[in-house]
Structure formats: structure tokens, C-alpha cells
Amino acid sequence: MKTIHYLYALICVFLLIILFLFFTSTPANVTGQPHPRFDTMLSGGDSLSTKSNTHILGYLFGLCTVLTLCVFLILGAIRKNSLGAIRPWLLLSSLVYMIVYTLTFLSDTHYIKTNHTHFFNGWPMPTAWMIFGMWSAPVLFVCIYVFKFRDWILPLEDEERFYDLVAERKKRQNK
Amino acid sequence: MEELRNPIILTSVGLYMVLCIAVGIWALRRTKSSHDFFMAGRNLGVIVTAFAVFSTTLSGFGFVGGPGLVYRMGMSSIWMVVIAVLGFSVTNFLHGKKLRLLSELGDSKSLPDVVFLRYNNNYTRVLIAIAIILGVFGYLATQILAMSVVLKDILNETELFAELTLGTSMIFSCSILVFYSVTGGIIASVYTDLIQGGVMIVAAILIFFTVMYTFDGGITEMNQVIQSDDPAAIGPWGTLGMIGCMSWVLMFGLGGSGQPHVITKLMMNKKVSDVKHILPISILGYLFSGLLWIGIGLVMRALVVSGRHPELAGADEAASQFLQHYAHPVLAGIVFAGLFAAIMSTADAFLNIGTAAVMHDIPKAIGKTIKNELQWARITTVIITIIAAFFAVWASNNGDLVALLGAFGWGTFAAAIVPVVTLGFNWRRGTAIAANVSIVVSLLMNFIVKIGKISIPYGIDVGALSMLVALFLFITISFFTREDKLESDVEEVLQM
């Protein structure tokens, strides 16, 4: 299977989940409710975590989001129909990102069950995972791009060939 | 010092506008052709391109709407900032090379030019140009409106301009915008972006430090105050909930690669290999500027729920109220200049791509060539600004129209452009007919859902849903249609 097939399958799963969500009974005020004291604010409604079916669907929806972003990124790294040596590094970085997302999700479930007591560096634990984990984990992709650009993204020979193509095209147009 | 607050704010904003005019005059001498006007002669350095990318992405929304959303919904909208590292990476992996190479190969002046080169189909070029024009009018009108409202509010605080109307404020602010956009085209735009980006970073860092010391117990106390009122607000999904937040992640992470005002900047850098430096610099710039978004929104929510500040009249007042009551007057001056910077950097980018679509792409698609393109580009820029300004005034008096404008924003660009450009430029099998169908369906879907006020469960973003449907159609139709015939050099570049 090629990367595009994985992407296609992922988009189909994504759309099926959304279709399913249309037909599930939505927990009350799941997207927030008016704040009891302040008109300009919203407060949280029933969490998805209170119902097992929406809990899993919510996780899968998020996982599909994360995977879609990673698969797109992998698609952008394909050269001459192949990923080559960049493949394991991109897969590893994607895996790290998925793990961090899963830990954020699990930490939030725990946060709701344990009356919200654990703080890390000024933030409740699941929010700390979001701020420090989800924010920083994709730095791995940035490092691959910055430090291995000439090896895996645009080798010098490709760039030289490109400028030959530009010169040939200009010559053709000037004829 | 307090009594000097308004003069300091006015001076800061005034100085910033003088700088923009100066850049416009300087860029005038460097703009000798329509290629310079639209593509900056494909001669931009690393820092200029990186700053242009992040400051164009942020817009006035990051300085006004963003803090307002955090105040209203808690952590939900912070995902739009958190996803920036992955989002910018996706954009660079997918566009940094192919889009830049194709634009140089075809000596392109606009995104629809490159789309034509890729698909060899004039309908695709026209449809992308139409999507850009629809988005430009919606986005530009809201930026002009925001710019005029902020300037009016600042000037109304002075005795001399206490009676200044919105219309006069709009004429004044648009004049500055038009001046540097007309004289220097994209060159003036990107160099003002450099100043604008710098102002935004400084303003955001200083604001974040102010936020940290607003409560004696720092960030921990601020978060505990919010948590004691509503634990969900300071949880990772805020009040919107998990699915809504993750749909924003998709919208801003992947949808960012479909924003024409941003990705055209990646067609202008001098050397292709510069993108490896542009990526980390633009990420850092965006992250620093995002501190303002997060900091002000949370601190205002904490101040209000703890009773230390009265409830705001509207969520969008979070930034201005914080600046007025808790920031040092000099800092308030810098941030107001930063706010104008954020709005103008996005508005000038839209003016440029809108002008290219009207004056270059559509005539080219119907086989017309305009003589003296540079002069006509300047005239078109003025006309687009005037129409957008009238549109903005009309929209501000008509709630439905505001919704209509909103429908053609970030989500519309994402749904129309991600399948055709982001995916299509990295997947040779994508066909022109699939591209055309996906653009039309995505535009219609955004429009119908927004105008028909169709409710999507769990707060799933309309743009994200339209983008997924458009991607599904693009891939499915491509599988079932015959591969387009492309020029051999284009084929080779697509394989690189």
C-alpha cells in the first residue's frame, strides 16, 4: 500500500466517525453551557468522558486528526516515489506524537476522576501534557527538516537538476 | 505616568504608521515590474520570509479574537497555538520544496499560476482564483473593520478626535494601508511584515511577563482561580470539549497549508534551501506572539471570576481592558502598535493576492494579457481596498452579512486549497477534474452550512468537515479519472 492509500483509508474512517457522531445521542451541553454568573463566559458541560461510547469516539476522532497530520507530513517527504532513509525517523516522530496525545487523553480522564488535584509547573496535569507535550513533541519533525534537509528533503543533485530544467525551459521559450 | 497613557499609545501607533509609509517609499524604488509587485522578484532573505510567514498567519485575530476566545471558553482555542509547531512543519514539508520549485520553473506570479502549471487546466486556475477572491473580500473586510474600530477607539480618547466617526477612521487607516501596498506591492508588504513581526514578538513577551505577575502566586494561582470556578475551563479541552478542539487542530494544523496569503510567501524566497531556516524562525515567532493570546485571555478570566475586575461587556474586550488597567502605558503603546501590525500584515497580504487574482489570473485564464501590468496592479489594489471598505461598513450594519463574510475565511481557503495544492502538488495522480469538483463542493458546503445555520454535533468545525469531504472527493475522483498529461519538466519536478 502506498502512503496515499493510508491517507484515503484514514479520511474514510474520519468521515465515518463524524457520520456516527451525527446519530449518537449527544451528552447535554457537551460543547459548553452559559456560565452561571457571567454572561460573556461559557463553562464546561458534560464531559465526553462520562459516557463510554463518546469517550472512545472522542479519542478516535483525536487520533485520526493526529494521524492525518502525520501522514500528510510523510507524503510531503516522498521523493521519486520513495521515502528512503527518512521513513523510520518520520514514523518514530509520528509515534511519539501519538503517544503524547494518548497520554494527554488518559491524563484528562484521570483528572476528571480524581477531582482535579495534580498540578505540574502551574498547570493541571492534562493541561501540562497539552502545553509541554503536544506543543513540543513535533520539534522532532522540525529537527529532521532542518538538519537532514540536504540528505532527505532536497539533495544537491536534485537542486542542480532543477536549475538545468529551468534553463532548458527558458531556452525553449526564447526560441 | 497614567495621565500620559493615551498620548503614549497615540505616539506608538503614529510612529508605527510613519514606519509603514517610509517602507512604502523605500519599496517603491525596488518595484520595477509586476514580478516585483507580486513575487518580490523571488529575492527574499531567510529572516524576511520567516517573519512574513508568521506575522501574516497571526492577523488581528491573534491579538483581539484569540484572547477573547480564551476568556470565553478557557483552554479550547489554545489548541490553535499549540498546533503551530506541527502545522508549520506540515506546511514546509508539503510546500517548502514543491511549491517553490514549480513557481520558479513556471516563473509564476501567483498561486493560480502554479496551479495551472501543475494541472494544465484553465478551469482549475479560475476556480482557485475565485476561491481566493471570495476569501479575500471576506477576510480583508473584517481586517479593515477591526483596524478602523481600534483606531477610532484610540482617537476618541483624545479631545481633538473625540467625535471621530468610524468612516473617517476607516479612510485614515485604509489610506496608510493602500499607500504602502500600492507603492511597494509585496516588497513593501513583506518588509513591513518584518517590522510588524518584530513589534508583535516584543509586545507578546512583555505582556506575558506582566500576566505572570498579575497574581501574587503567578500562573499557578491564576490557574487555580479558574479551576475553582470551572475545572473544565482550565482542562485541556476547555469548555468546547475534546472533539471540537481536535477539529480546530485539524483546521489549523492542516488548514494552515491551504492559506494562500501565507503559502505564497514560500514562493518568494531567494534560495530553495532557505526553507530549512525559515521553518524554525517562523515557528518561534508565532509561538512568542501566541503568548499574548494565551496570557491575556486566561488572566482576564481569572480576574473576572475572582471578582477583582468587573465582567467585560464582550469577550473581545479582554485585550483592551487588560492593557488599559494592568499594563504599563509604554507597554500598552507597544501592544497597540503590535495590534495594528498584526491586522495590517494580514490585510496587505490579502490585497496582494486579491489583486493578482483579479488582474493577472482571471484575464490569463480567458486568454487575455494585460499591458502595463504593474500600473494596473496598483490601480486594482486601490479599487479592491475601496470595495472591501464599503463591504466592511455594510457588513458591520448587517449581522447576516457578517456571518457570510465569516463563511469565507480560513475554513474556506483550507477546504478549497488543501486538496488541490497541498495534496495535489505532492501526489502526481491527482487530476484536474477532481481538483475542480473538490473546489466547487468545498465552497458550496462552507456556504450552505454557514448560511443555512446547519448544526454540526460536538462543535466540529465546518471548515474541517468541508476540508475532509473535499479531500475524500479529490482522491476518489482522481482514482477514477484518467491521469492528466503534463509537461515533462513539471513531471520531473513533481518527483523531486
Side-chain angles (χ1 to χ4, degrees), chain A residues 39-40 80 122 127 135 161, chain B residues 71 223 234 287 311 492 495:
Chain A
D39 293 341
T40 51
K80 299 181 171 71
T127 315
W135 205 333
R161 175 64 191 142
Chain B
Y71 165 82
N223 290 340
I234 199 68
L287 292 188
E311 189 184 1
E492 207 170 325
Q495 292 297 319

Side-chain angles (χ1 to χ4, degrees), chain B residues 83-103:
Chain B
I83 197 59
V85 182
L86 188 59
F88 278 103
S89 301
V90 168
T91 301
N92 273 265
F93 265 86
L94 290 147
H95 293 317
K97 182 174 67 176
K98 300 268 171 71
L99 182 64
R100 173 65 182 74
L101 293 180
L102 282 172
S103 72

Side-chain angles (χ1 to χ4, degrees), chain A residues 3 32 69 78 91 135 156:
Chain A
T3 312
L69 285 164
I78 293 174
L91 290 178
W135 205 333
L156 215 49

Side-chain angles (χ1 to χ4, degrees), chain A residues 8 32 35 37 39-40 42-44 54 75-76 80 101 108 111 116 122 127 135 145 153 161 169 172, chain B residues 71-72 92 97 105 223 227 229-231 234 237 239 242 287 301 311 423 458 476 487 489 492 495:
Chain A
Y8 189 54
H35 193 281
R37 285 189 293 150
D39 293 341
T40 51
L42 294 173
S43 62
T54 50
L75 199 71
K80 299 181 171 71
Y101 160 71
D108 182 54
Y111 174 72
H116 331 288
T127 315
W135 205 333
Y145 198 77
I153 307 292
R161 175 64 191 142
R169 178 175 269 255
R172 270 202 319 270
Chain B
Y71 165 82
R72 187 170 168 76
N92 273 265
K97 182 174 67 176
L105 184 72
N223 290 340
Q227 195 198 37
D229 173 68
D230 176 24
I234 199 68
W237 319 114
T239 62
M242 182 180 187
L287 292 188
R301 185 164 177 124
E311 189 184 1
L423 179 56
Y458 296 90
T476 309
E487 292 174 84
D489 49 2
E492 207 170 325
Q495 292 297 319

